[in-house]
């Protein structure tokens, strides 16, 4: 208790990490990280984080630091969505297998992103990154696509595959952003 009071962080229990990995594996996703810790308020810090689809060796997202704030009790009760995600120094990239050059292509570099969930919406409180030489900022609300009656929402894997399809179309155009100062 003295250590917790002084350090204000704890090692993440193995059962929590295994549960996260299992949930991601069921969505055909895998994470890798260098170090992880959490504080008693429910905030988890991942250092040297990467997220990938299992069929690709290269990650879709890499980040120096990822903060995730979630209600631990809601997570244990089967509601695994975090309340807040904060990426610092992240890169969104297209795997080499899908890139026209045959090498991993960065889509957005030097990304700092703060997402906050409220009900079914994700709010972008802060979004700053670079596409080619162009610095881009974003702020607003992400509204999920409407679901047909009796339909099911897209899985994380389906959303990642849609992102990859869009990325394949975007990569050849990124070099046009280099002409902006």
């Amino acid at each position: 208790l003295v250590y917790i009071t002084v350090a204000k962080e704890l090692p993440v229990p193995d059962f929590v990490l295994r549960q996260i990995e299992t949930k991601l594996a069921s969505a055909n996703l895998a994470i890798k990280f260098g170090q992880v810790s959490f504080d008693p308020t429910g905030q988890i810090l991942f250092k040297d984080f990467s997220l990938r689809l299992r069929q690709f060796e290269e990650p879709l997202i890499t980040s120096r630091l990822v903060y995730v704030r979630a209600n631990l009790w809601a997570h244990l009760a089967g509601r695994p969505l975090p309340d807040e995600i904060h990426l610092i120094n992240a890169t969104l990239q297209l795997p080499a297998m899908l890139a026209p050059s045959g090498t991993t292509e960065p889509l957005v570099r030097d990304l700092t992103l703060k997402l906050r969930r409220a009900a079914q919406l994700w709010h972008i409180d802060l979004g700053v990154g670079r596409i080619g030489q162009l610095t881009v900022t974003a702020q607003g609300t992400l509204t999920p696509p409407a679901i047909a009656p009796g339909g099911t929402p897209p899985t994380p894997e389906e959303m990642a595959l849609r992102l990859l399809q869009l990325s394949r179309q975007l990569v050849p155009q990124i070099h046009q952003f280099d002409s902006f100062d």
Side-chain angles (χ1 to χ4, degrees), residues 36-167:
V36 64
S37 60
F38 85 105
D39 66 22
T41 65
Q43 186 166 319
I44 300 175
L45 170 66
F46 294 95
K47 294 180 182 175
D48 300 322
F49 174 90
S50 66
L51 176 73
R52 69 177 179 86
L53 280 169
R54 289 193 176 273
Q55 61 258 43
F56 300 110
E57 288 298 317
E58 300 91 0
L60 302 174
I61 300 170
T62 62
S63 186
R64 186 174 58 83
L65 294 172
V66 175
Y67 293 99
V68 178
R69 186 176 57 80
N71 182 326
L72 181 60
W73 300 115
H75 183 77
L76 294 174
R79 296 187 306 271
L81 288 177
D83 299 319
E84 188 176 306
I85 301 171
H86 191 166
L87 303 174
I88 297 173
N89 198 16
T91 301
L92 303 178
Q93 54 193 22
L94 184 63
M97 182 181 274
L98 300 176
S101 67
T103 62
T104 302
E105 295 275 352
L107 301 167
V108 181
R109 295 177 288 118
D110 304 326
L111 176 65
T112 297
L113 180 67
K114 185 174 182 182
L115 292 170
R116 183 177 37 84
R117 185 176 59 87
Q120 298 299 319
L121 301 176
W122 284 93
H123 301 281
I124 301 172
D125 293 335
L126 169 70
V128 179
R130 292 169 28 115
I131 300 175
Q133 297 296 323
L134 185 64
T135 300
V136 178
T137 61
Q139 196 173 25
T141 302
L142 297 173
T143 306
I147 300 168
T152 59
T155 65
E157 179 182 15
E158 291 170 341
M159 291 188 295
L161 291 172
R162 286 183 194 166
L163 176 65
L164 289 175
Q165 288 173 341
L166 284 169
S167 299

Side-chain angles (χ1 to χ4, degrees), residues 7-28:
K8 295 192 175 26
E9 66 179 42
L10 302 163
V12 177
D14 284 341
F15 77 91
V16 173
L17 290 175
R18 298 308 144 246
Q19 189 176 31
I20 292 169
E21 289 172 344
T22 301
K23 289 279 187 190
L24 289 172
S26 70
N28 201 27

